[in-house]
Structures are given as C-alpha cells and as structure tokens.
Amino acid sequence: MNDKKKKSDTNSSAENVEQHLQELEKADYERLYYSQEQTFSADELARSINEQRLTELMAKSDEFLKSLNSELEDFDD
C-alpha cells in the first residue's frame, strides 16, 4: 500500500491526466473497431431507418441535382 501511495505521489497531475486520456482513447478505438465488425439483419436495419424521412431526403436530393444540372447547362451557353 505504501508503494502505491509513494508512486501516486511522484506522478504529477499532468501525468495522471495524460494516462487517463490515453486509456479513454484506447477504449474509444476498441469500441469503434468492434462496432465495425457487427452485422445487422434486415429487420434491425428496417427498424433503424425512418423510411419517410429517407424518401423526403431522396426527393430533395433529386430536386437539387436537377437544378444543378440545369445551372450547368446554362453555364455552357
């Protein structure tokens, strides 16, 4: 117990913060790495997708692309 107390006394606050940040970074990396390996079933994906919102976004993107295309055609003239 005294050895632990002595060791923690010799570490500065900055060293303790640095060590803690490194541990958090490692945990974040591991969480990201393992989350990429997860597979989702079609049912899980269907539950997580808001189909109405997706349809609205696709319609907006179509409108944007059409307007962009017309602007580009006008630019050539």
Side-chain angles (χ1 to χ4, degrees), residues 1-36:
M1 175 110 176
N2 276 344
D3 289 340
K4 280 187 176 182
K5 179 71 173 159
K6 287 179 184 176
K7 185 176 180 183
S8 67
D9 287 344
T10 59
N11 286 346
S12 70
S13 296
E15 289 171 332
N16 288 330
V17 168
E18 179 66 26
Q19 181 181 3
H20 182 70
L21 290 175
Q22 287 175 356
E23 290 171 5
L24 289 175
E25 185 178 303
K26 182 180 175 186
D28 286 345
Y29 174 79
E30 289 173 352
R31 190 178 317 118
L32 176 64
Y33 177 80
Y34 290 114
S35 69
Q36 291 175 351

Side-chain angles (χ1 to χ4, degrees), residues 39-54:
T39 57
F40 297 96
S41 70
D43 291 337
E44 288 173 317
L45 288 175
R47 284 194 303 267
S48 65
I49 294 173
N50 181 338
E51 192 171 338
Q52 180 181 356
R53 180 70 177 133
L54 180 59

Side-chain angles (χ1 to χ4, degrees), residues 53-71:
R53 180 70 177 133
L54 180 59
T55 303
E56 291 170 4
L57 289 172
M58 289 174 64
K60 286 182 180 179
S61 68
D62 287 345
E63 290 172 21
F64 172 74
L65 290 174
K66 285 178 187 176
S67 69
L68 184 62
N69 192 31
S70 69
E71 290 292 326

